[in-house]
Amino acid sequence: MALLSKVVDGSDSRQLTVRGTFSSEPFPNAAASGYMMVVDERNSPWKFTYKISGNKRILSGQWELFFGSNEIKVGDEVAFHKNEGWGPQADYMIEVIRKGSD
């Protein structure tokens, strides 16, 4: 099960903004702000800037490069998981679920 997921909308190409109320912090290793390392399905590492602002979680930094490299489109979903074997260099994994792939 994903720690956090979001269907990408038109405002997410430069930074990913996830709004909501969370019972616990989805990314405890990132603290309230700072950097977090994630690895994608191709085992490529990405360094995202992470910020909490009220009920929003905002990812930026290499997010824009990740977005373009993975050819993410509006309607695709991104899901974050604890890293359980995708690569040793990150605490989290990111998965792109293509619109209409279910």
Side-chain angles (χ1 to χ4, degrees):
M1 182 171 169
L3 297 170
L4 183 140
S5 65
K6 182 185 182 195
V7 174
V8 174
D9 63 41
S11 66
D12 290 324
S13 64
R14 301 192 86 187
Q15 67 181 23
L16 180 71
T17 302
V18 181
R19 290 174 174 80
T21 304
F22 302 94
S23 59
S24 63
E25 180 53 41
F27 303 119
N29 294 359
S33 65
Y35 297 99
M36 58 187 282
M37 293 298 297
V38 301
V39 63
D40 66 18
E41 296 163 290
R42 295 180 283 192
N43 209 26
S44 298
W46 300 92
K47 185 176 183 180
F48 295 154
T49 302
Y50 181 69
K51 179 180 171 187
I52 297 172
S53 179
N55 69 340
K56 296 186 287 188
R57 305 301 184 265
I58 302 165
L59 294 175
S60 56
Q62 289 187 326
W63 170 258
E64 193 171 0
L65 294 171
F66 171 80
F67 190 93
S69 176
N70 283 275
E71 300 178 359
I72 297 173
K73 307 285 187 232
V74 170
D76 289 345
E77 181 178 357
V78 292
F80 292 85
H81 306 271
K82 284 185 92 63
N83 185 354
E84 296 175 351
W86 280 14
Q89 68 271 47
D91 290 320
Y92 303 101
M93 305 178 299
I94 187 168
E95 173 184 21
V96 178
I97 303 161
R98 303 292 174 192
K99 180 180 179 179
S101 66
D102 18 317

